[in-house]
């Protein structure tokens, strides 16, 4: 995927700085501290990337030299690699070292030095080759700083075994720390407000937001525990991002591509991820990792490369609004008189109430027509072809699993009647207590029929794209285990194609802290509404925060849903909410998901 000229101009500075930071540099005596911890990421069979930030003590520092070392023992006596790198303000004083020439499936320890300051020690393991009996993956997503403490990250850090940590996106959120910002009704109570206080829009803003997150001791501990493999979702930039914009980006906030490029640059600076090869778009964060003969891990990108714009209920190109007679609210009658219809719709468009007993209702058929357009895509045609190629290669290599690091829940979730499940009285109470920023979305849930998606950012609003995924899984004879984030809820799903063949299993991991729909409605457990209404959903739970733990073996994948008793306090108890297993089918697809 080649970088267009505009994106190249916006992002070229990052690539140049990355090259500089990885080279040995001349001596610099600028003192600096390691306030943001250490991290490793993107391991391969013979290399792993190391990360830290050297915060200069002087505001006028031009550059900082940092020593790094890697060894096989905690005393750093059996040294393996060491060197010196230089960083500066062009990279926000972050440091990345791509250490090569390592042995496969080997654990190393690493640390950094700057003058008399020594960083914390981190652990990193290279990927295995050949025969692999099992791999343990911790899977996380969605950590809104203001809505809770990072107890789940602390729990990952304390795991007896974890080979890789997969982060599926929303590592940071763009919302600010003001009282009217998302999550701050909780943040004010528990003393968690992100910096900067305003919404992140510029490079300086995104850098400061990443720095704020990385000051958290629990997040630092999880990064030091094992290598991370990360992708972004939307909140690393702005809510409901797509290839040409975002819901949370308005024209008065500047050019969208400038904001996107700033967020992407800060992500590459602050996350332990290997930058793409020269000439490759920095937006192409999709990449693969080979877990010996056990699995191919395929990380996809679902925001910038090919996602079509989400349906907007206020856009006449997407939906049709009907003027209706509400004399009987349970049986609205569509008005056909053109003058009366024009009067009612004009009042609605201007924000005025329609004259009684009239109102407006969406024509659900217009929504279904819009979302069902065959060209609509989540990944984009080029990435779909890339994914097919990776699936075919993994199957040809005889690997029993193809693990897909995906951002949104892929299972069909249309059909849940949230208002009916809660009851009108409880729904009305929850609506009144909800944050003003959430009420338009909740009002949408109240007025939409259940045969259209309950939110337009998910896979259910891209049915043609989902159908292409189903065909791809079948035609490649792959055994996909789809790992998904974004929803802030736990899901265990079986994905079926149009012929009702089971083509994949899916694990949707809950949030580290971010509130789910159930939380927003007054801590109502909505999981049963989805598992009862949606044939692909085997289990759903909306209230628990935590992460997923996936143990891969050749003959099965074990799925443990790890919950935290609370994220509103620092003291917590961990528990296993549910455990499942699924087996690969040699001829393609997977067996049924079974609770253990």
């Amino acid at each position: 995927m080649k970088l267009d000229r505009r994106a190249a101009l916006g992002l070229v500075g990052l690539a140049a700085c990355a090259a500089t930071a990885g080279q040995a540099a001349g001596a610099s005596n600028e003192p600096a501290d390691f306030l943001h911890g250490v991290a490793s990421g993107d391991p391969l069979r013979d290399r792993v990337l190391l990360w830290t930030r050297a915060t200069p003590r002087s505001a006028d520092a031009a550059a900082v030299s940092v020593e790094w070392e890697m060894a096989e023992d905690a005393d750093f006596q059996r040294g393996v690699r060491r060197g010196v790198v230089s960083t500066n303000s062009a990279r926000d004083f972050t440091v990345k070292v791509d250490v090569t020439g390592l042995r496969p499936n080997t654990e190393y320890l690493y640390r950094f030095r700057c003058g008399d300051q020594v960083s914390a020690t981190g652990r990193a393991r290279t990927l295995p080759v050949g025969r692999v009996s099992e791999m343990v993956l911790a899977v996380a997503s969605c950590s809104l700083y203001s809505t809770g403490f990072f107890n789940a990250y602390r729990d990952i850090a304390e795991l007896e075994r974890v080979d890789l940590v997969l982060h599926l996106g929303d590592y940071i959120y763009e919302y600010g720390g003001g009282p009217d910002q998302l999550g701050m009704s909780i943040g004010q109570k528990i003393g968690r407000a992100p910096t900067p206080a305003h919404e992140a829009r510029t490079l300086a803003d995104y850098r400061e937001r990443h720095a704020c997150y990385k000051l958290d001791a629990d997040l630092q501990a999880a990064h030091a525990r094992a290598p991370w493999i990360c992708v972004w979702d939307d909140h690393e930039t702005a809510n409901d991002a797509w290839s040409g914009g975002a819901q949370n980006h308005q024209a008065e906030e500047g050019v969208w591509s400038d904001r996107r490029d700033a967020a992407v640059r800060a992500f590459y600076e602050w996350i332990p991820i290997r930058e793409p090869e020269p000439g490759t778009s920095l937006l192409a964060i999709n990449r693969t990792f080979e877990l010996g003969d056990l699995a191919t891990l395929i990380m996809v990108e679902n925001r910038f490369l090919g996602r079509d714009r989400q349906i907007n209920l206020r856009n006449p190109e997407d939906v049709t609004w009907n003027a209706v007679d509400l004399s009987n609210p349970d049986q609205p009658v569509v008005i056909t008189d053109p003058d009366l219809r024009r009067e009612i719709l004009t009042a609605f468009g201007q924000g005025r109430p329609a004259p009684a007993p009239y109102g407006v209702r969406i024509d659900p058929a217009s929504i279904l027509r819009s979302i069902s357009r065959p060209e609509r895509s989540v990944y984009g045609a080029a990435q779909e072809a890339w994914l097919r190629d990776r699936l075919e290669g993994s199957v040809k290599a005889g690997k029993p699993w193809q693990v897909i690091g995906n951002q949104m829940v892929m299972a069909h979730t249309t059909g849940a009647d949230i208002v009916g499940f809660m009851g009108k009285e409880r729904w009305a109470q929850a609506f009144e207590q909800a944050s003003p920023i959430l009420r338009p979305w909740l009002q949408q849930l109240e007025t939409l029929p259940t045969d259209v998606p309950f939110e337009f950012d998910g896979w259910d609003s891209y049915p043609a794209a989902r159908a292409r995924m189903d065909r791809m899984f079948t035609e490649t004879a792959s055994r996909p285990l789809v790992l998904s984030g974004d929803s802030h809820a736990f899901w265990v799903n079986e994905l079926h194609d149009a012929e009702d063949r089971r083509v994949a299993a899916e694990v949707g991991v809950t949030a580290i802290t971010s509130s789910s729909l159930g939380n927003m409605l007054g801590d109502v457990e909505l999981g049963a509404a989805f598992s009862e209404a949606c044939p692909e959903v085997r289990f759903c739970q909306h209230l628990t925060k935590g992460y997923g733990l996936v143990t891969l073996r050749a003959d099965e994948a074990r799925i443990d849903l790890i919950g935290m008793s609370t994220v509103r306090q620092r003291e917590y108890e961990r528990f296993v909410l549910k455990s499942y297993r699924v087996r690969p089918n040699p001829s393609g697809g997977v067996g049924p998901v079974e609770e253990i």
Side-chain angles (χ1 to χ4, degrees), residues 469-500:
M469 292 302 102
D470 293 341
R471 291 194 296 273
M472 186 187 302
F473 293 155
T474 301
E475 291 167 2
T476 59
S478 52
R479 280 82 59 175
L481 177 61
V482 180
L483 305 178
S484 304
D486 186 68
S487 74
H488 310 170
F490 275 125
W491 304 80
V492 179
N493 306 319
E494 294 179 358
L495 309 186
H496 292 249
D497 65 9
E499 283 72 46
D500 201 31

mmCIF file of all heavy atoms in Angstrom, residues 469-500:
data_model
loop_
_atom_site.group_PDB
_atom_site.id
_atom_site.type_symbol
_atom_site.label_atom_id
_atom_site.label_comp_id
_atom_site.label_asym_id
_atom_site.label_seq_id
_atom_site.Cartn_x
_atom_site.Cartn_y
_atom_site.Cartn_z
ATOM 1 N N MET A 469 -16.169 -11.582 4.313
ATOM 2 C CA MET A 469 -15.326 -12.282 5.280
ATOM 3 C C MET A 469 -15.736 -13.747 5.383
ATOM 4 O O MET A 469 -14.889 -14.647 5.407
ATOM 5 C CB MET A 469 -15.430 -11.616 6.651
ATOM 6 C CG MET A 469 -14.832 -10.228 6.773
ATOM 7 S SD MET A 469 -13.077 -10.145 6.348
ATOM 8 C CE MET A 469 -13.200 -9.431 4.690
ATOM 9 N N ASP A 470 -17.043 -14.003 5.446
ATOM 10 C CA ASP A 470 -17.529 -15.384 5.542
ATOM 11 C C ASP A 470 -17.063 -16.210 4.349
ATOM 12 O O ASP A 470 -16.595 -17.350 4.497
ATOM 13 C CB ASP A 470 -19.062 -15.402 5.622
ATOM 14 C CG ASP A 470 -19.585 -14.793 6.908
ATOM 15 O OD1 ASP A 470 -18.810 -14.678 7.878
ATOM 16 O OD2 ASP A 470 -20.775 -14.436 6.952
ATOM 17 N N ARG A 471 -17.193 -15.645 3.156
ATOM 18 C CA ARG A 471 -16.762 -16.374 1.950
ATOM 19 C C ARG A 471 -15.256 -16.588 1.975
ATOM 20 O O ARG A 471 -14.764 -17.662 1.584
ATOM 21 C CB ARG A 471 -17.184 -15.613 0.687
ATOM 22 C CG ARG A 471 -18.674 -15.600 0.435
ATOM 23 C CD ARG A 471 -18.988 -15.151 -0.979
ATOM 24 N NE ARG A 471 -18.583 -13.773 -1.222
ATOM 25 C CZ ARG A 471 -19.338 -12.704 -0.972
ATOM 26 N NH1 ARG A 471 -20.558 -12.869 -0.466
ATOM 27 N NH2 ARG A 471 -18.901 -11.499 -1.243
ATOM 28 N N MET A 472 -14.527 -15.592 2.422
ATOM 29 C CA MET A 472 -13.076 -15.718 2.488
ATOM 30 C C MET A 472 -12.678 -16.845 3.436
ATOM 31 O O MET A 472 -11.801 -17.667 3.116
ATOM 32 C CB MET A 472 -12.447 -14.403 2.952
ATOM 33 C CG MET A 472 -10.927 -14.378 2.909
ATOM 34 S SD MET A 472 -10.225 -12.881 3.652
ATOM 35 C CE MET A 472 -10.987 -11.608 2.666
ATOM 36 N N PHE A 473 -13.305 -16.902 4.597
ATOM 37 C CA PHE A 473 -12.991 -17.961 5.559
ATOM 38 C C PHE A 473 -13.272 -19.330 4.953
ATOM 39 O O PHE A 473 -12.477 -20.271 5.109
ATOM 40 C CB PHE A 473 -13.814 -17.783 6.831
ATOM 41 C CG PHE A 473 -13.463 -16.554 7.634
ATOM 42 C CD1 PHE A 473 -14.401 -15.973 8.481
ATOM 43 C CD2 PHE A 473 -12.206 -15.978 7.550
ATOM 44 C CE1 PHE A 473 -14.085 -14.851 9.228
ATOM 45 C CE2 PHE A 473 -11.884 -14.855 8.300
ATOM 46 C CZ PHE A 473 -12.826 -14.287 9.134
ATOM 47 N N THR A 474 -14.397 -19.461 4.246
ATOM 48 C CA THR A 474 -14.763 -20.748 3.651
ATOM 49 C C THR A 474 -13.833 -21.119 2.504
ATOM 50 O O THR A 474 -13.339 -22.248 2.418
ATOM 51 C CB THR A 474 -16.219 -20.701 3.156
ATOM 52 O OG1 THR A 474 -17.088 -20.415 4.242
ATOM 53 C CG2 THR A 474 -16.617 -22.031 2.530
ATOM 54 N N GLU A 475 -13.589 -20.187 1.613
ATOM 55 C CA GLU A 475 -12.806 -20.477 0.417
ATOM 56 C C GLU A 475 -11.341 -20.745 0.716
ATOM 57 O O GLU A 475 -10.673 -21.472 -0.040
ATOM 58 C CB GLU A 475 -12.946 -19.311 -0.563
ATOM 59 C CG GLU A 475 -14.345 -19.187 -1.156
ATOM 60 C CD GLU A 475 -14.591 -17.878 -1.883
ATOM 61 O OE1 GLU A 475 -13.650 -17.053 -1.966
ATOM 62 O OE2 GLU A 475 -15.729 -17.677 -2.366
ATOM 63 N N THR A 476 -10.827 -20.217 1.797
ATOM 64 C CA THR A 476 -9.431 -20.473 2.162
ATOM 65 C C THR A 476 -9.287 -21.696 3.066
ATOM 66 O O THR A 476 -8.167 -22.089 3.388
ATOM 67 C CB THR A 476 -8.829 -19.254 2.887
ATOM 68 O OG1 THR A 476 -9.590 -18.980 4.065
ATOM 69 C CG2 THR A 476 -8.809 -18.032 1.981
ATOM 70 N N ALA A 477 -10.426 -22.300 3.474
ATOM 71 C CA ALA A 477 -10.410 -23.447 4.394
ATOM 72 C C ALA A 477 -9.640 -23.122 5.675
ATOM 73 O O ALA A 477 -8.971 -23.983 6.254
ATOM 74 C CB ALA A 477 -9.827 -24.683 3.710
ATOM 75 N N SER A 478 -9.722 -21.878 6.101
ATOM 76 C CA SER A 478 -9.010 -21.450 7.307
ATOM 77 C C SER A 478 -9.785 -21.805 8.562
ATOM 78 O O SER A 478 -10.973 -22.141 8.519
ATOM 79 C CB SER A 478 -8.738 -19.945 7.251
ATOM 80 O OG SER A 478 -9.915 -19.226 6.987
ATOM 81 N N ARG A 479 -9.080 -21.756 9.698
ATOM 82 C CA ARG A 479 -9.686 -22.015 11.011
ATOM 83 C C ARG A 479 -9.546 -20.744 11.849
ATOM 84 O O ARG A 479 -8.699 -20.660 12.745
ATOM 85 C CB ARG A 479 -8.977 -23.175 11.714
ATOM 86 C CG ARG A 479 -9.388 -24.554 11.263
ATOM 87 C CD ARG A 479 -8.725 -25.050 10.027
ATOM 88 N NE ARG A 479 -7.276 -25.115 10.145
ATOM 89 C CZ ARG A 479 -6.475 -25.602 9.215
ATOM 90 N NH1 ARG A 479 -6.965 -26.029 8.073
ATOM 91 N NH2 ARG A 479 -5.181 -25.628 9.389
ATOM 92 N N PRO A 480 -10.370 -19.730 11.581
ATOM 93 C CA PRO A 480 -10.154 -18.426 12.201
ATOM 94 C C PRO A 480 -10.649 -18.365 13.650
ATOM 95 O O PRO A 480 -11.746 -18.819 13.979
ATOM 96 C CB PRO A 480 -10.958 -17.463 11.324
ATOM 97 C CG PRO A 480 -11.323 -18.249 10.093
ATOM 98 C CD PRO A 480 -11.383 -19.669 10.542
ATOM 99 N N LEU A 481 -9.820 -17.778 14.481
ATOM 100 C CA LEU A 481 -10.218 -17.343 15.815
ATOM 101 C C LEU A 481 -10.121 -15.824 15.786
ATOM 102 O O LEU A 481 -9.022 -15.263 15.748
ATOM 103 C CB LEU A 481 -9.315 -17.941 16.886
ATOM 104 C CG LEU A 481 -9.595 -17.488 18.321
ATOM 105 C CD1 LEU A 481 -11.007 -17.872 18.764
ATOM 106 C CD2 LEU A 481 -8.565 -18.070 19.288
ATOM 107 N N VAL A 482 -11.258 -15.156 15.769
ATOM 108 C CA VAL A 482 -11.309 -13.707 15.657
ATOM 109 C C VAL A 482 -11.311 -13.115 17.064
ATOM 110 O O VAL A 482 -12.159 -13.475 17.896
ATOM 111 C CB VAL A 482 -12.556 -13.256 14.875
ATOM 112 C CG1 VAL A 482 -12.595 -11.737 14.757
ATOM 113 C CG2 VAL A 482 -12.594 -13.906 13.497
ATOM 114 N N LEU A 483 -10.367 -12.229 17.332
ATOM 115 C CA LEU A 483 -10.288 -11.545 18.620
ATOM 116 C C LEU A 483 -10.685 -10.091 18.402
ATOM 117 O O LEU A 483 -10.068 -9.393 17.593
ATOM 118 C CB LEU A 483 -8.865 -11.629 19.182
ATOM 119 C CG LEU A 483 -8.278 -13.033 19.318
ATOM 120 C CD1 LEU A 483 -6.848 -12.967 19.836
ATOM 121 C CD2 LEU A 483 -9.137 -13.901 20.238
ATOM 122 N N SER A 484 -11.697 -9.635 19.121
ATOM 123 C CA SER A 484 -12.283 -8.324 18.857
ATOM 124 C C SER A 484 -12.380 -7.491 20.121
ATOM 125 O O SER A 484 -12.502 -8.025 21.228
ATOM 126 C CB SER A 484 -13.684 -8.474 18.237
ATOM 127 O OG SER A 484 -13.627 -9.253 17.062
ATOM 128 N N GLY A 485 -12.350 -6.179 19.947
ATOM 129 C CA GLY A 485 -12.475 -5.240 21.058
ATOM 130 C C GLY A 485 -13.638 -4.307 20.848
ATOM 131 O O GLY A 485 -14.699 -4.709 20.374
ATOM 132 N N ASP A 486 -13.494 -3.039 21.248
ATOM 133 C CA ASP A 486 -14.371 -1.919 20.917
ATOM 134 C C ASP A 486 -15.686 -1.869 21.694
ATOM 135 O O ASP A 486 -16.150 -0.780 22.027
ATOM 136 C CB ASP A 486 -14.673 -1.905 19.410
ATOM 137 C CG ASP A 486 -15.463 -0.683 18.995
ATOM 138 O OD1 ASP A 486 -14.906 0.431 19.056
ATOM 139 O OD2 ASP A 486 -16.628 -0.832 18.615
ATOM 140 N N SER A 487 -16.324 -2.988 22.006
ATOM 141 C CA SER A 487 -17.706 -2.967 22.506
ATOM 142 C C SER A 487 -17.805 -2.718 24.004
ATOM 143 O O SER A 487 -18.896 -2.452 24.504
ATOM 144 C CB SER A 487 -18.396 -4.287 22.175
ATOM 145 O OG SER A 487 -17.919 -5.320 23.025
ATOM 146 N N HIS A 488 -16.713 -2.894 24.748
ATOM 147 C CA HIS A 488 -16.691 -2.733 26.218
ATOM 148 C C HIS A 488 -17.492 -3.826 26.912
ATOM 149 O O HIS A 488 -17.928 -3.650 28.055
ATOM 150 C CB HIS A 488 -17.225 -1.355 26.636
ATOM 151 C CG HIS A 488 -16.600 -0.211 25.915
ATOM 152 N ND1 HIS A 488 -17.085 1.076 25.993
ATOM 153 C CD2 HIS A 488 -15.523 -0.147 25.090
ATOM 154 C CE1 HIS A 488 -16.337 1.882 25.249
ATOM 155 N NE2 HIS A 488 -15.390 1.154 24.692
ATOM 156 N N ALA A 489 -17.684 -4.941 26.242
ATOM 157 C CA ALA A 489 -18.422 -6.077 26.798
ATOM 158 C C ALA A 489 -17.714 -7.365 26.407
ATOM 159 O O ALA A 489 -16.939 -7.404 25.455
ATOM 160 C CB ALA A 489 -19.861 -6.086 26.279
ATOM 161 N N PHE A 490 -17.971 -8.429 27.172
ATOM 162 C CA PHE A 490 -17.473 -9.753 26.812
ATOM 163 C C PHE A 490 -18.443 -10.415 25.835
ATOM 164 O O PHE A 490 -19.670 -10.362 26.017
ATOM 165 C CB PHE A 490 -17.357 -10.642 28.054
ATOM 166 C CG PHE A 490 -16.085 -10.489 28.826
ATOM 167 C CD1 PHE A 490 -16.118 -10.191 30.187
ATOM 168 C CD2 PHE A 490 -14.852 -10.656 28.228
ATOM 169 C CE1 PHE A 490 -14.946 -10.075 30.925
ATOM 170 C CE2 PHE A 490 -13.673 -10.542 28.954
ATOM 171 C CZ PHE A 490 -13.719 -10.251 30.307
ATOM 172 N N TRP A 491 -17.880 -11.087 24.822
ATOM 173 C CA TRP A 491 -18.662 -11.854 23.854
ATOM 174 C C TRP A 491 -17.932 -13.168 23.563
ATOM 175 O O TRP A 491 -16.711 -13.189 23.445
ATOM 176 C CB TRP A 491 -18.800 -11.119 22.526
ATOM 177 C CG TRP A 491 -19.389 -9.750 22.591
ATOM 178 C CD1 TRP A 491 -18.738 -8.595 22.952
ATOM 179 C CD2 TRP A 491 -20.724 -9.368 22.258
ATOM 180 N NE1 TRP A 491 -19.594 -7.528 22.869
ATOM 181 C CE2 TRP A 491 -20.816 -7.973 22.443
ATOM 182 C CE3 TRP A 491 -21.847 -10.075 21.810
ATOM 183 C CZ2 TRP A 491 -21.990 -7.272 22.203
ATOM 184 C CZ3 TRP A 491 -23.016 -9.368 21.572
ATOM 185 C CH2 TRP A 491 -23.097 -7.991 21.768
ATOM 186 N N VAL A 492 -18.684 -14.231 23.403
ATOM 187 C CA VAL A 492 -18.186 -15.480 22.844
ATOM 188 C C VAL A 492 -19.169 -15.868 21.747
ATOM 189 O O VAL A 492 -20.354 -16.109 22.022
ATOM 190 C CB VAL A 492 -18.067 -16.588 23.903
ATOM 191 C CG1 VAL A 492 -17.569 -17.876 23.256
ATOM 192 C CG2 VAL A 492 -17.133 -16.155 25.030
ATOM 193 N N ASN A 493 -18.689 -15.920 20.502
ATOM 194 C CA ASN A 493 -19.583 -16.047 19.358
ATOM 195 C C ASN A 493 -19.122 -17.140 18.404
ATOM 196 O O ASN A 493 -17.933 -17.456 18.326
ATOM 197 C CB ASN A 493 -19.621 -14.719 18.568
ATOM 198 C CG ASN A 493 -19.962 -13.524 19.443
ATOM 199 O OD1 ASN A 493 -20.822 -13.604 20.305
ATOM 200 N ND2 ASN A 493 -19.281 -12.410 19.218
ATOM 201 N N GLU A 494 -20.078 -17.693 17.684
ATOM 202 C CA GLU A 494 -19.807 -18.578 16.552
ATOM 203 C C GLU A 494 -20.294 -17.868 15.294
ATOM 204 O O GLU A 494 -21.461 -17.487 15.209
ATOM 205 C CB GLU A 494 -20.545 -19.910 16.700
ATOM 206 C CG GLU A 494 -20.072 -20.769 17.860
ATOM 207 C CD GLU A 494 -20.867 -22.055 17.960
ATOM 208 O OE1 GLU A 494 -21.804 -22.248 17.163
ATOM 209 O OE2 GLU A 494 -20.558 -22.872 18.853
ATOM 210 N N LEU A 495 -19.404 -17.681 14.328
ATOM 211 C CA LEU A 495 -19.757 -16.984 13.097
ATOM 212 C C LEU A 495 -20.176 -17.990 12.036
ATOM 213 O O LEU A 495 -19.479 -18.974 11.793
ATOM 214 C CB LEU A 495 -18.574 -16.156 12.599
ATOM 215 C CG LEU A 495 -17.925 -15.215 13.618
ATOM 216 C CD1 LEU A 495 -16.863 -14.358 12.941
ATOM 217 C CD2 LEU A 495 -18.949 -14.351 14.325
ATOM 218 N N HIS A 496 -21.325 -17.733 11.417
ATOM 219 C CA HIS A 496 -21.881 -18.628 10.406
ATOM 220 C C HIS A 496 -22.042 -17.873 9.088
ATOM 221 O O HIS A 496 -22.342 -16.676 9.082
ATOM 222 C CB HIS A 496 -23.248 -19.172 10.838
ATOM 223 C CG HIS A 496 -23.184 -20.100 11.999
ATOM 224 N ND1 HIS A 496 -23.441 -21.450 11.899
ATOM 225 C CD2 HIS A 496 -22.870 -19.880 13.298
ATOM 226 C CE1 HIS A 496 -23.302 -22.023 13.094
ATOM 227 N NE2 HIS A 496 -22.954 -21.079 13.953
ATOM 228 N N ASP A 497 -21.870 -18.589 7.966
ATOM 229 C CA ASP A 497 -22.044 -17.951 6.665
ATOM 230 C C ASP A 497 -23.497 -18.069 6.219
ATOM 231 O O ASP A 497 -24.373 -18.523 6.973
ATOM 232 C CB ASP A 497 -21.073 -18.524 5.638
ATOM 233 C CG ASP A 497 -21.329 -19.993 5.323
ATOM 234 O OD1 ASP A 497 -22.361 -20.551 5.765
ATOM 235 O OD2 ASP A 497 -20.480 -20.595 4.623
ATOM 236 N N ALA A 498 -23.765 -17.651 4.993
ATOM 237 C CA ALA A 498 -25.144 -17.630 4.496
ATOM 238 C C ALA A 498 -25.749 -19.021 4.410
ATOM 239 O O ALA A 498 -26.980 -19.168 4.448
ATOM 240 C CB ALA A 498 -25.179 -16.955 3.119
ATOM 241 N N GLU A 499 -24.905 -20.050 4.294
ATOM 242 C CA GLU A 499 -25.401 -21.441 4.267
ATOM 243 C C GLU A 499 -25.420 -22.062 5.663
ATOM 244 O O GLU A 499 -25.560 -23.273 5.804
ATOM 245 C CB GLU A 499 -24.526 -22.295 3.338
ATOM 246 C CG GLU A 499 -24.802 -22.088 1.852
ATOM 247 C CD GLU A 499 -24.303 -20.737 1.352
ATOM 248 O OE1 GLU A 499 -23.157 -20.379 1.696
ATOM 249 O OE2 GLU A 499 -25.073 -20.047 0.654
ATOM 250 N N ASP A 500 -25.238 -21.219 6.673
ATOM 251 C CA ASP A 500 -25.259 -21.625 8.077
ATOM 252 C C ASP A 500 -24.108 -22.562 8.441
ATOM 253 O O ASP A 500 -24.194 -23.340 9.384
ATOM 254 C CB ASP A 500 -26.601 -22.283 8.454
ATOM 255 C CG ASP A 500 -26.837 -22.237 9.966
ATOM 256 O OD1 ASP A 500 -26.363 -21.281 10.615
ATOM 257 O OD2 ASP A 500 -27.477 -23.161 10.498
#
